[in-house]
Amino acid sequence: MAVLVTGGAGYIGSQTCVHLLEAGKEIVVIDNFSNSSPLSSQAVKEITGKDFPVIECDIRDEEKLGEVFSSYKIEAVIHFAGLKAVGESCQKPLEYYDNNIGGTVKLLSVMKKFGVKCIVFSSSATVYGEKHTAPFNEEMEVGGTTNPYGTTKLYIEQILRDLCASDSEWSVCLLRYFNPIGAHESGKIGEAPNGIPNNLMPYISQVAVGKREKLSVFGDDYDTPDGTGVRDYIHVADLADGHVVALDRALSVKGCEVYNLGTGKGVSVLDLVKAFEEATGIKIPYVIAPRRPGDIATSYADCSKAKNVLGWEARRDVRKACEDTWNWQKNNPDGFTK
Ligand code: NAD
Ligand code: WQD
């Protein structure tokens, strides 16, 4: 039996593939490569020394999905596939609703048709919206998302809850990621954003490699220790470990469960810049710029549920994430080209 990994060529998906293979799981990857390269799956094969099918397939293509489910014995799905750029989602809301929500509905329909009722879903801390004070815990009311991307995560969570309510055979694990950073320690896979990075860590590493002149720090007047935004940066390898345990949990427990995956620690923009400089010895020039619309001051997780129920907690620190990011970035300044 195999685990179908949608979006498995992407940043978090490819790292999770490594950890699944190392845990002895069989995997099948599908991806439409809209934001990734098949070379990342090739690198996963090199890292693990294991082979697996990689199929170009859009999750909105029900017919092709059906062929995948007919060709392989799938026992569960880890569902990463989706568009994730917050700013772009405000410009192109219909594309986000179609791809993320429409695609997920198609995927779930095909899963149901083939009697595969176990799914681990990539949700986001963004579903907590703006009204709570960190640390965010899973009991807090979700909603009040500030952009269409976040709203797709909120709605998909609800769709999955409704599915579980309609049929007690479904197992759903909603994983709310905080801020994933870092890369595989081999330097063979990592985050390769198209164009100007939206997220802080890829921006810092592109400054370090000389692709960008300086970082703009979006606001230094927040109510935080140094005035810059505070986030919960989690190493992508810890996140991947979280998926392996969440998958085992979903395979053994029916119903819908939700877990935060973070470190529980708040790190400011300037803390992250400093950690990167210390880890790499490279100075990151920056300027203070206006606040970015939609940003909140502070976001970090209460991770006690994942620790108590799944026995999972993040083990790698921000320095390790900076070292691994730099190892990936300096060897692959233009992402997957070789
Ligand atoms: P990514 O863009 O690197 O990976 C997503 C993958 O899905 C890409 O390979 C892309 O080509 C593929 N894809 C997109 N639409 C598809 C479709 N219709 N059919 C098939 N494949 C499709 O992003 P990531 O950072 O690895 O994120 C993975 C998941 O985690 C996403 O759902 C994202 O929203 C979620 N998430 C990411 C973060 C983050 O900060 N990176 C935080 C919280 C949640
Ligand atoms: C982190 C901090 C910025 C860039 C986003 C999504 C969220 C989730 C993770 C998917 C903030 C500051 C950033 C820069 C800066 N994705 N910053 N200069 O906004 O916490 O979360 O990615 O689900 O939904 O919203 O992450 O990395 O963009 O920003 O000063 O050039 O860095 O203001 O304080 P964010 P981020």
Side-chain angles (χ1 to χ4, degrees), residues 214-227:
K214 56 182 179 300
L215 172 71
S216 293
V217 175
F218 298 144
D220 68 348
D221 56 354
Y222 285 105
D223 184 15
T224 60
D226 66 15

Side-chain angles (χ1 to χ4, degrees), residues 12 83-87 122-127 146-147 149-150 153 177-181 196-204 214-219 222 228-233 267-270 272-273 287 289-292 294-299:
I12 305 169
L83 300 173
K84 64 162 182 177
V86 169
S122 301
S123 189
S124 168
T126 192
V127 300
T146 55
N147 56 77
Y149 164 74
K153 295 294 173 191
Y177 314 157
F178 279 69
N179 289 60
I181 59 169
I196 302 171
N198 300 303
N199 296 117
L200 179 60
M201 185 57 129
Y203 206 104
I204 291 175
K214 56 182 179 300
L215 172 71
S216 293
V217 175
F218 298 144
Y222 285 105
T228 66
V230 166
R231 297 291 182 271
D232 185 337
Y233 295 98
V267 169
S268 76
V269 175
L270 295 181
L272 193 65
V273 169
V287 289
R291 289 183 181 193
R292 185 173 64 179
D295 275 354
I296 58 173
T298 303
S299 162

Side-chain angles (χ1 to χ4, degrees), residues 237-267:
D238 282 324
L239 203 54
D241 284 337
H243 286 74
V244 177
V245 292
L247 173 69
D248 285 339
R249 173 84 181 168
L251 284 168
S252 59
V253 177
K254 306 262 186 245
C256 185
E257 294 191 341
V258 51
Y259 296 97
N260 285 339
L261 295 183
T263 66
K265 295 188 190 83
V267 169

Side-chain angles (χ1 to χ4, degrees), residues 36-51:
S36 58
S37 159
L39 293 175
S40 71
S41 297
Q42 199 49 48
V44 170
K45 293 178 188 183
E46 282 169 28
I47 291 168
T48 59
K50 295 187 179 175
D51 201 9

Side-chain angles (χ1 to χ4, degrees), residues 318-335:
V318 161
R319 185 186 173 101
K320 169 76 175 147
C322 291
E323 287 166 1
D324 291 339
T325 299
W326 180 232
N327 191 31
W328 152 255
Q329 180 72 79
K330 71 173 188 249
N331 290 315
N332 306 274
D334 299 315

Side-chain angles (χ1 to χ4, degrees), residues 3-21 26-45 47-48 52-59 65 68 76-83 99 107 120 122 177 184 188-191 236 240 243 336:
V3 179
L4 180 69
V5 185
T6 77
Y11 170 47
I12 305 169
S14 56
Q15 178 82 33
T16 302
C17 286
V18 170
H19 292 228
L20 289 167
L21 292 164
E26 270 187 46
I27 62 169
V28 174
V29 165
I30 59 170
D31 204 298
N32 68 357
F33 305 117
S34 58
N35 195 38
S36 58
S37 159
L39 293 175
S40 71
S41 297
Q42 199 49 48
V44 170
K45 293 178 188 183
I47 291 168
T48 59
F52 55 90
V54 179
I55 301 152
E56 183 163 358
C57 174
D58 193 298
I59 54 166
L65 274 179
V68 173
V77 175
I78 304 186
H79 180 30
F80 294 103
L83 300 173
N99 193 82
L107 172 70
V120 175
S122 301
Y177 314 157
H184 190 267
K188 288 179 188 288
I189 52 171
E191 193 170 11
V236 67
H243 286 74
F336 290 98

